[in-house]
Amino acid sequence: MAMTMNGEVQLAAPREAVWAKLNDPEVLKVCIPGCEELEKTEDNGFRATAKMKVGPVSARFKGKVTLSDLDPPNGYKISGEGEGGVAGFAKGGATVALAEKDGGTLLTYNVEAQIGGKLAQLGQRLINGSAKKLADEFFANFAKAVQG
């Protein structure tokens, strides 16, 4: 099952500060809903474990995230895949762009993902609703961390 999502968030912080936080594993770990572990790897990426609940399906996902097309402090591309055992898998990517706006930073994101296994059987509406909720939660946490 394929899914796309996009949005933007206005942050009350300079672009360089937002960029630094987007690349800080400690900040990201606190912001990602359900994140239990997040560590930087040598190859511009992270290894992560997160516990997620989507409708009736609860799973612990282990995955790897890679950052590419790095263009500090303007943005990057995130690609990743996670394995959740019987719950299924998720893989995809997102482009994140930062622009100066209204004395702060406008963060724009476009996500494309594929999911399979039990998760994919839950139906598009539930998956999209859950994904949007997770994204909203992440960005609310991230806005707090940036304005810190």
Side-chain angles (χ1 to χ4, degrees):
M1 178 192 295
M3 181 183 80
T4 59
M5 186 172 56
N6 52 52
E8 53 184 45
V9 184
Q10 178 67 30
L11 300 164
R15 203 164 42 152
E16 285 74 14
V18 174
W19 174 260
K21 301 257 192 235
L22 271 179
N23 288 280
D24 183 338
E26 290 305 309
V27 172
L28 294 174
K29 182 179 178 184
V30 173
C31 295
I32 298 168
C35 189
E36 295 174 344
E37 283 177 54
L38 185 74
E39 58 180 278
K40 211 165 173 58
T41 56
E42 306 74 54
D43 55 356
N44 270 344
F46 302 97
R47 246 191 315 276
T49 304
K51 193 171 183 179
M52 309 240 162
K53 186 168 168 43
V54 180
V57 178
S58 193
R60 178 173 275 117
F61 283 87
K62 287 183 182 290
K64 186 174 162 30
V65 177
T66 310
L67 305 180
S68 59
D69 301 343
L70 279 86
D71 179 15
N74 303 310
Y76 58 39
K77 184 173 172 34
I78 305 172
S79 313
E81 49 190 274
E83 191 58 58
V86 294
F89 70 88
K91 65 180 177 180
T95 52
V96 177
L98 303 176
E100 288 176 21
K101 184 180 177 200
D102 299 335
T105 303
L106 182 69
L107 183 154
T108 308
Y109 61 92
N110 288 293
V111 178
E112 283 183 35
Q114 277 111 27
I115 58 167
K118 267 191 186 170
L119 282 175
Q121 296 167 3
L122 294 175
Q124 194 81 36
R125 183 176 288 148
L126 180 60
I127 293 295
N128 287 345
S130 297
K132 171 133 182 44
K133 187 172 163 264
L134 287 170
D136 290 347
E137 203 176 316
F138 170 82
F139 286 111
N141 293 343
F142 188 71
K144 277 186 218 143
V146 165
Q147 286 146 15

